[in-house]
Amino acid sequence: MVQKKEFLYEGKAKKIYRTDDPAVVLVEFKDEATAFDGVKKDRLEDKGILNNRLSALFFSLLEKQGIETHYLKTVSEREMLVKFLEIIPVEVIVRNIAAGSLSERLGIPEKTELKKTVLEFSLKDDQLHDPMINHYHIYAMELAEPEEMAEIERIALKVNQILVPYLKEKNIVLVDFKLEFGRHNGKILLGDEISPDTCRFWDSSSGEKLDKDRFRRDMGGVIEAYREVLRRLEENDTPAVD
Ligand code: UDP
């Protein structure tokens, strides 16, 4: 049994602790919600519990499909054990439908289906407001090697290919999402979390937002939406036999 040890790092939505195994850390999902680089803040009761469950579910699904992630196991309501990663400070955004900053930046109306999946990269730096960067910046700043970026892009697109049809079955459109990667024993692994905090999920029938945009846009019903996503994903998806 891996033991939780001293506190290592606190992010906006998670706290990280060392364990007695240097290759393993414990992630605790907090209830705090932030948006606009931390300018908007609130506590959303049970968000941490829901995101711990949802991330575990997505990581397990991806592992079954051959994607290597940092996820090891869930140890409590809010805690999971993960492989320790040397985080690559690049946020990878995958987009299927125009929304959020893409719509603002390029004037493509929200809800427009993109003819090709779009990948974007941002420097993970709150003080600089996570500026968008390209491969030239990544290599000039020595954030990652070209071979590593090729692997990151391959994994990001594969994750999208797995999650789009999986969520479609649950009547959810995967609009866009953010991934983070890190190095572990010379390999690139998928890290961070996959949850309604980091993805845009729209109900396929009504278009209703089931993600953090409800918080960003003061729409209310944030936790109810996260719970609804979890309910749909945990629903037995074996087709009824008559
Ligand atoms: N995203 C994220 N963390 C960030 C920025 C974006 O998880 O720091 C996610 C966001 O939830 C959405 C996708 O990445 O699913 C694309 O976000 P966008 O660039 O449109 O930025 P936003 O409109 O959220 O500021």
Side-chain angles (χ1 to χ4, degrees):
M1 178 52 187
V2 178
Q3 294 297 319
K4 175 172 170 180
K5 285 176 69 183
E6 81 269 23
F7 165 77
L8 193 61
Y9 171 80
E10 179 156 12
K12 283 176 287 194
K14 300 188 282 301
K15 274 189 199 171
I16 313 292
Y17 296 85
R18 272 188 224 282
T19 68
D20 48 12
D21 181 344
V24 176
V25 294
L26 184 139
V27 179
E28 179 192 321
F29 286 78
K30 305 191 291 179
D31 282 347
E32 272 71 37
T34 63
F36 314 118
D37 296 318
V39 172
K40 183 176 165 65
K41 277 190 210 144
D42 211 344
R43 218 185 132 261
L44 298 171
E45 183 102 31
D46 291 349
K47 179 172 81 82
I49 296 173
L50 294 164
N51 282 354
N52 188 34
R53 292 255 288 272
L54 283 161
S55 286
L57 200 148
F58 282 122
F59 284 137
S60 306
L61 173 84
L62 293 171
E63 288 276 354
K64 276 192 208 129
Q65 305 280 330
I67 304 262
E68 287 193 74
T69 79
H70 69 159
Y71 178 69
L72 290 169
K73 69 178 200 173
T74 299
V75 286
S76 80
E77 249 188 350
R78 297 179 176 274
E79 296 170 318
M80 61 169 64
L81 290 174
V82 303
K83 292 176 185 162
F84 178 79
L85 298 186
E86 184 197 335
I87 290 289
I88 296 171
V90 174
E91 297 190 343
V92 179
I93 292 172
V94 184
R95 300 180 181 274
N96 297 305
I97 295 175
S101 71
L102 178 95
S103 293
E104 280 170 36
R105 199 167 0 100
L106 301 182
I108 305 175
E110 283 214 325
K111 301 186 190 156
T112 307
E113 198 173 317
L114 300 166
K115 295 293 174 216
K116 191 174 191 307
T117 304
V118 171
L119 285 189
E120 291 173 354
F121 307 100
S122 309
L123 178 66
K124 199 171 150 59
D125 186 323
D126 280 343
Q127 284 189 333
L128 297 174
H129 313 294
D130 296 346
M132 199 194 232
I133 51 175
N134 65 29
H135 290 80
Y136 289 90
H137 301 109
I138 291 171
Y139 306 143
M141 294 172 78
E142 298 187 308
L143 304 176
E145 297 291 328
E147 300 71 34
E148 292 177 321
M149 286 311 294
E151 178 68 352
I152 285 172
E153 287 171 40
R154 185 190 68 78
I155 301 171
L157 292 172
K158 177 102 189 285
V159 168
N160 191 45
Q161 269 177 9
I162 295 167
L163 295 188
V164 167
Y166 168 75
L167 287 161
K168 194 174 174 202
E169 279 281 300
K170 316 281 180 183
N171 217 36
I172 294 171
V173 179
L174 179 59
V175 175
D176 56 30
F177 56 99
K178 185 256 306 179
L179 299 175
E180 292 183 28
F181 295 86
R183 305 177 184 99
H184 182 89
N185 292 338
K187 265 193 174 166
I188 297 287
L189 303 190
L190 178 60
D192 194 45
E193 66 178 278
I194 304 181
S195 74
D197 271 9
T198 61
C199 302
R200 284 196 170 94
F201 296 136
W202 293 348
D203 180 274
S204 306
S205 319
S206 65
E208 189 190 356
K209 295 184 197 307
L210 300 171
D211 56 57
K212 191 167 147 185
D213 269 348
R214 301 195 74 87
F215 171 72
R216 294 189 189 99
R217 300 178 190 194
D218 290 320
M219 297 167 76
V222 185
I223 283 304
E224 290 76 5
Y226 284 38
R227 256 190 233 293
E228 173 60 16
V229 173
L230 183 65
R231 189 192 66 73
R232 291 191 200 181
L233 303 199
E234 284 185 341
E235 224 170 34
N236 188 352
D237 55 6
T238 316
V241 184
D242 52 27

